[in-house]
Amino acid sequence: MALRKVLVLNGPNLNLLGTREPEIYGHDTLADIAARLAAQGNALGLDVECRQTNHEGVLVDWLHEARSSGVHAVLLNAGAYTHTSIALLDAIKATQLKVIEVHLSDPETREAFRHLSYVGMAAIDCVKGLGAKSYEVALERAALL
Ligand code: DQA
């Protein structure tokens, strides 16, 4: 039987993890995180694919593609688009995908402009504030869906 696929979508500036404000986001690179998720996915019987883009519309396209290719769940760290993107909110609603919102930091304890999450209005779950571990906890939850 084919493994269930989990797509891990990362938005703007997350390609800079490792050097980007490490006091907030930690020292792991996105490649470090992707490698750990792939190994964890193997253990959980999930096929995990990580992607990153700095472009809002590309995230929308990837969500549409995820629906047509029948992915099991999406872990979405939309970066700053979390707080601005009605297009992402609409895409999650339109695709009916099981999306788990992920953040390394806890946006609600930071600046007021990070307190609103459009992604969170349609996501089924959210894991935040655990650093790179947020992705691993989110993948555990995706396996249980
Ligand atoms: C982030 C939090 C967002 O507010 C910020 O814009 C990011 C990263 C996080 O993972 O903590 O780019 O999504």
Side-chain angles (χ1 to χ4, degrees):
M1 208 180 79
L3 293 181
R4 293 179 302 169
K5 179 148 187 166
V6 174
L7 213 46
V8 183
L9 301 184
N10 292 281
N13 301 305
L14 293 165
N15 54 313
L16 300 180
L17 284 181
T19 55
R20 175 191 181 195
E21 299 178 274
E23 66 287 0
I24 297 174
Y25 299 114
H27 292 277
D28 286 321
T29 65
L30 200 52
D32 296 332
I33 293 170
R36 282 204 300 273
L37 291 177
Q40 188 189 354
N42 270 337
L44 292 169
L46 300 169
D47 171 18
V48 178
E49 182 186 341
C50 283
R51 300 182 190 173
Q52 188 276 332
T53 177
N54 292 319
H55 304 280
E56 184 178 11
V58 174
L59 289 170
V60 172
D61 287 342
W62 284 345
L63 289 170
H64 293 183
E65 180 198 316
R67 186 193 50 176
S68 31
S69 63
V71 309
H72 171 66
V74 175
L75 310 190
L76 175 59
N77 185 349
Y81 292 138
T82 303
H83 317 299
T84 60
S85 181
I86 298 168
L88 280 177
L89 167 61
D90 284 349
I92 298 167
K93 285 178 156 174
T95 56
Q96 299 275 287
L97 287 162
K98 289 179 271 185
V99 172
I100 302 180
E101 177 181 7
V102 178
H103 300 286
L104 297 121
S105 67
D106 180 354
E108 285 194 48
T109 64
R110 300 177 60 194
E111 304 97 319
F113 59 81
R114 295 183 203 275
H115 295 182
L116 175 69
S117 171
Y118 285 104
V119 168
M121 291 177 198
I124 59 169
D125 200 354
C126 177
V127 185
K128 60 188 180 178
L130 306 175
K133 257 234 155 247
S134 292
Y135 289 89
E136 292 162 40
V137 172
L139 190 62
E140 276 165 22
R141 293 190 191 174
L144 298 174
L145 293 172

